[in-house]
Amino acid sequence: MELAERLKWLRGRHGLTQRELARRAGVNNSLISQIEQAAVNPSVATLKRILDGFPITMGAFFSLEQEPVRQCFFRQQDLLPMQSGEVQMWLLGPLHRGHKLALQRERYPPGADTGPDMLSNEAEEAGLVLSGEIEVTVGEQCCVLQAGDGYYFDTRQPHRFRNIGKEPCELVSAATPPTF
């Protein structure tokens, strides 16, 4: 299922109108309509706000049609792709109830970011930059991290990721409990 189909299906499953979901998420109901018509691809931050209206994690949202499989090993093609705007993410295995950790690979093309709105959720997150550079803002702190650098913070603090470099940035991140 594509993002538009997933959102429409999930909204219907919960018996919500576009207006009710928009009210819960704090967004305009025309935005929900545009996303469901695949006319707009929301930023990571916007999609997170919308999914919080159910609530459902982003990882669970992107693995809705998949049956839980208790795998221990995952090939690159087994990673669950998630995309919002230009930011690409791959989740290591579909999330199951009871998982306490989410591990993902992330790719930010030059100029890409998680959106104009700062993200915030209930978890701890750590990451390691594999290539390129990324500007990470956590609360009032801002730092440009390069390959080999990392971060660790409480995600209740508003945060944002932005590639200000000329090359794609790849990183690996982990969050506990899972927020995506």
Side-chain angles (χ1 to χ4, degrees):
M1 270 192 292
E2 296 295 325
L3 186 141
E5 295 171 311
R6 287 175 192 274
L7 183 60
K8 188 173 185 177
W9 177 85
L10 184 63
R11 185 178 55 75
R13 185 172 168 220
H14 285 266
L16 298 176
T17 64
Q18 289 179 347
R19 221 175 270 285
E20 175 60 20
L21 177 57
R23 186 191 65 74
R24 287 182 178 191
V27 298
N28 188 312
N29 65 303
S30 66
L31 177 62
I32 302 294
S33 175
Q34 291 173 328
I35 294 169
E36 288 185 356
Q37 294 172 21
V40 169
N41 196 4
S43 69
V44 172
T46 300
L47 182 57
K48 174 85 173 80
R49 283 178 58 191
I50 292 169
L51 295 179
D52 284 345
F54 290 106
I56 186 172
T57 66
M58 203 173 293
F61 174 75
F62 280 102
S63 63
L64 283 172
E65 80 270 85
Q66 296 186 7
E67 290 294 316
V69 176
R70 298 291 180 179
Q71 280 180 259
C72 293
F73 306 102
F74 299 86
R75 302 286 182 206
Q76 183 172 338
Q77 65 270 18
D78 296 332
L79 300 182
L80 180 65
M82 301 185 295
Q83 183 167 350
S84 185
E86 293 182 278
V87 178
Q88 297 173 303
M89 298 178 188
W90 295 269
L91 187 65
L92 181 63
L95 289 179
H96 302 288
R97 289 192 179 156
H99 274 202
K100 295 177 177 62
L101 174 71
L103 181 68
Q104 60 193 32
R105 177 179 157 210
E106 302 177 32
R107 184 175 192 276
Y108 295 78
D113 65 29
T114 54
D117 298 328
M118 301 282 271
L119 301 168
S120 181
N121 42 52
E122 295 279 330
E124 289 185 346
E125 183 174 329
L128 182 63
V129 178
L130 302 175
S131 64
E133 61 183 0
I134 191 99
E135 178 187 78
V136 182
T137 303
V138 179
E140 298 296 320
Q141 299 180 61
C142 185
C143 186
V144 176
L145 301 174
Q146 298 178 339
D149 296 340
Y151 61 88
Y152 184 106
F153 62 91
D154 182 330
T155 62
R156 289 178 291 190
Q157 297 178 76
H159 55 281
R160 178 181 184 206
F161 294 80
R162 185 169 63 128
N163 183 345
I164 60 171
K166 297 184 188 297
E167 301 294 324
C169 176
E170 296 245 358
L171 60 95
V172 172
S173 68
T176 183
T179 56
F180 281 164

